[in-house]
Amino acid sequence: MKELDKLNNEQQKPEKLDDVKEQGKEADNNMQQSGDQLQKDQKQKASQSQSKAQQNLQQMAAAMKKMSAGMDAEQIDIDIKATRQILTNLIRFSFDQEKLMGRVKQTSPASPAYVSNTQEQNRLRGNARMIRDSLFSLSKRVFQIAATVNKETSDMENNISSTISSLEGRRLNEAVTRQQYAMTSANN
């Protein structure tokens, strides 16, 4: 019961466990009565106490199962909403990155507009970090996607950093290649 309390308190919205605790106490009392009655050789009463304890334990298990199902459904709903928001941000990032990639290809390194391309890439890096953090948070709850998400977001961030370094060094071909790799990781 203490472990159940601990797990419940760790949740963002703890459930009310009063009914479950009460059923557990009643089951415990019934089991103690049964033991006392068996020692006094009152087998009929001991059997009744054990039966009541069994019923209380079954009710307690059903209540816990019902709470668990409610928590699971709520968590799934939260995960779906988070996934939609992340996908929206990823799509926006991908389109912005593609648009910037086109501008970088057309902008001369000597042009004043070249600096704004580097600034835009820095802005996109900030957006990518936000996406990475959201995906990491989701991957902690949905372990099946953890390895892929962590690899792709790490690759995306590394390629964006390389892109910025290439833009600052005015190495256009390398910058465009790294932008393409960053987009690939984001789309994966």
Side-chain angles (χ1 to χ4, degrees), residues 131-155 188:
I131 292 167
R132 181 206 56 203
D133 293 345
S134 299
L135 281 168
F136 180 71
S137 176
L138 181 64
S139 74
K140 287 194 308 190
R141 294 189 307 269
V142 184
F143 69 92
Q144 295 92 335
I145 65 170
T148 303
V149 163
N150 293 335
K151 179 195 177 304
E152 295 299 337
T153 55
S154 177
D155 289 350
N188 286 342

Side-chain angles (χ1 to χ4, degrees), residues 1-8:
M1 202 43 95
K2 290 178 184 175
E3 191 174 317
L4 184 63
D5 276 338
K6 181 182 173 193
L7 289 172
N8 187 48

Side-chain angles (χ1 to χ4, degrees), residues 69-150:
M71 287 185 265
D72 289 346
E74 188 175 315
Q75 187 61 48
I76 288 170
D77 188 45
I78 290 169
D79 288 346
I80 289 171
K81 288 178 182 174
T83 303
R84 283 186 185 138
Q85 184 62 48
I86 291 168
L87 285 174
T88 300
N89 291 342
L90 275 169
I91 290 168
R92 187 175 304 129
F93 170 81
S94 185
F95 281 128
D96 288 350
Q97 186 68 58
E98 190 172 1
K99 194 183 307 180
L100 178 61
M101 201 167 71
R103 283 200 322 249
V104 167
K105 286 179 184 177
Q106 295 174 353
T107 306
S108 165
S111 170
Y114 189 85
V115 174
S116 68
N117 289 342
T118 305
Q119 291 169 344
E120 176 66 7
Q121 188 64 62
N122 276 314
R123 185 188 70 79
L124 290 176
R125 178 174 36 186
N127 292 352
R129 284 184 178 154
M130 181 190 67
I131 292 167
R132 181 206 56 203
D133 293 345
S134 299
L135 281 168
F136 180 71
S137 176
L138 181 64
S139 74
K140 287 194 308 190
R141 294 189 307 269
V142 184
F143 69 92
Q144 295 92 335
I145 65 170
T148 303
V149 163
N150 293 335

Side-chain angles (χ1 to χ4, degrees), residues 45-63:
K45 288 183 178 179
S47 176
Q48 289 174 351
S49 293
Q50 285 179 345
S51 178
K52 285 181 184 177
Q54 181 182 7
Q55 287 176 340
N56 284 332
L57 288 173
Q58 287 174 341
Q59 289 173 352
M60 187 172 110

